[in-house]
Amino acid sequence: MGYAWTTPDSAPYVAGPTPSRLGEADRAVAVLRADAGRWSRWVLGVGAFGAAVVGVFVAVGVVGAIVDLGRAGPLDIGVVLAALALALAGLTVLVRLARSGRRLTRVAAAWLRAPYAAGPRSPDAAGWVRARTVNLEPRVLVRLATGTLALLVGVAGVALTARDLVQGMSALTGAAAAVGALGLASGAGQLAGVLRIVAALGEADPLWVRLRGRR
């Protein structure tokens, strides 16, 4: 049995809120956020990112070395193929996680906003607190940490690539560029999911609503 990218509990809510279902908003948000924030998703994502980084770095690096040397042996080809398989597996998992996570967080954000946009609820002090403490939730905090680390990997890869473009390219220039792009994409994806939820919680924050001139 394959991994469940979304759980059956989320199915009734993924279509988004409707005026007749606003009473289910709290339940929908809890279910969707629990689904998107599953620890298994985070562990799988960290493992897939590591596999993709190692696979991409080795594959592109060895190909660069082969180009520099002008020859390739059976072992070189075997290493490249194995690394490509590892990278492809990691990237496939990352894409599936990103697509399902984006869908879950977008719908959760819509359910969070719906009761305030439609009028049944108004921003209050509890909303002010939730908007400022959500990042301290363990499932959110770890994603902020790993998302930031992924961005740092991306920045390091871009910096190494830029250095090589100035000082002279090497067999690892392409590998650094590929890892940099992967790190930036992975980090941005994780942080974007957190920001969607934080932004939606702002609808319940009276201070933030006044600053935006919404009410």
Side-chain angles (χ1 to χ4, degrees), residues 18-206:
T18 60
S20 62
R21 300 184 66 192
L22 292 182
E24 302 177 61
D26 291 340
R27 168 66 178 167
V29 169
V31 169
L32 292 167
R33 288 198 61 205
D35 194 353
R38 279 180 289 157
W39 287 105
S40 61
R41 289 178 61 90
W42 179 75
V43 172
L44 189 61
V46 171
F49 178 74
V53 166
V54 172
V56 166
F57 187 84
V58 172
V60 178
V62 172
V63 168
I66 290 172
V67 171
D68 285 349
L69 294 173
R71 58 184 175 82
L75 180 60
D76 298 324
I77 296 174
V79 169
V80 170
L81 292 177
L84 285 175
L86 182 64
L88 181 60
L91 289 170
T92 300
V93 172
L94 287 175
V95 169
R96 294 292 299 273
L97 286 172
R99 292 179 64 183
S100 57
R102 181 171 62 246
R103 184 184 185 192
L104 289 169
T105 54
R106 282 180 174 174
V107 178
W111 278 102
L112 276 167
R113 289 189 174 97
Y116 298 94
R121 294 184 188 175
S122 298
D124 54 21
W128 183 91
V129 173
R130 284 194 300 272
R132 283 157 180 78
T133 58
V134 62
N135 288 336
L136 299 179
E137 295 177 9
R139 60 185 176 181
V140 174
L141 192 59
V142 296
R143 284 167 171 81
L144 288 173
T146 51
T148 302
L149 290 174
L151 287 179
L152 289 175
V153 170
V155 170
V158 171
L160 289 173
T161 303
R163 183 204 63 183
D164 285 357
L165 291 176
V166 173
Q167 298 182 358
M169 298 179 65
S170 69
L172 296 180
T173 302
V179 170
L182 179 59
L184 292 176
S186 297
Q190 285 191 77
L191 297 182
V194 173
L195 290 175
R196 287 188 198 102
I197 299 301
V198 173
L201 284 169
E203 295 292 332
D205 177 4

